[in-house]
Structures are given as C-alpha cells and as structure tokens.
C-alpha cells in the first residue's frame, strides 16, 4: 500500500519524481524497509537517531531534493535569489 502524500514530505518528493518505493530505495542504495520507515516517520527502527538522520540525508540526496525544496517540504519560508539580494532589504 502506498503511503499518503500528506503523511510525509519524503513521500511527496518521491511521488513528484514518479518513483516507486523500490526505485527510490535502489537509487539511494538503501533497504526498501529503511526507506519505508523514513517515509512513515518511524525513525525508532534505526539503531540510533544519528543513523536515522544519516539515512534521511542519503535518501533526500538520492532524490535530488534541493535546499529550497527541503525548506518548502519542511514548511519553512523560502526566498528567491532576487529577494535575498534586493536593495529594499537594506532600506
């Protein structure tokens, strides 16, 4: 059964790239079970929190998630390069 997009930003990113769970796991060179656990936010299945974070980083990198997309998926504000370097910012 496919995880719901609303439940995980990683699921949303994977589906946006039209990858199956197995294809994404192969791309990240991770076990399908590990990827499924990450997508379902079940980090307790990893030996440590550090291992879960490392696996999430590898997975996000394999999916090609940019820093901008990561901020959007996390619900954080994003700015464009033009907005960041706007002279209005200094006024």
């Amino acid at each position: 059964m496919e995880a719901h997009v609303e439940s995980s930003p990683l699921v949303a990113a994977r589906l946006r790239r039209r990858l199956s769970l197995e294809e994404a796991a192969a791309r990240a060179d991770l076990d399908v079970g590990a990827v499924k656990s990450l997508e379902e936010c079940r980090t307790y299945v990893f030996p440590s929190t550090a291992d879960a974070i490392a696996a999430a980083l590898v997975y996000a990198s394999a999916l090609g998630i940019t820093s901008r997309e990561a901020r959007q998926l996390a619900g954080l504000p994003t700015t464009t390069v033009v907005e960041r370097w706007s002279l209005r910012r200094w006024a």
Side-chain angles (χ1 to χ4, degrees):
M1 185 166 137
E2 190 70 43
H4 294 289
V5 176
E6 302 86 32
S7 64
S8 169
L10 292 174
V11 173
R14 176 174 57 81
L15 293 178
R16 194 173 300 122
R17 287 154 178 81
R18 297 184 176 147
L19 294 171
S20 69
L21 188 64
E22 293 77 14
E23 290 169 332
R27 186 180 279 195
D29 196 24
L30 292 171
D31 179 53
V32 173
V35 170
K36 188 173 181 180
S37 294
L38 286 172
E39 288 188 352
E40 294 174 353
C41 302
R42 292 186 295 124
T43 57
Y44 58 85
V45 300
F46 293 89
S48 68
T49 304
D51 289 334
I53 292 170
L57 284 171
V58 168
Y59 187 47
S61 177
L63 290 178
I65 295 174
T66 63
S67 59
R68 180 177 178 80
E69 184 180 4
R71 292 185 66 81
Q72 287 173 336
L73 291 169
L76 298 172
T78 58
T79 57
T80 64
V81 174
V82 174
E83 291 170 338
R84 264 186 278 151
W85 294 103
S86 173
L87 292 178
R88 283 190 229 169
R89 185 179 111 185
W90 303 103

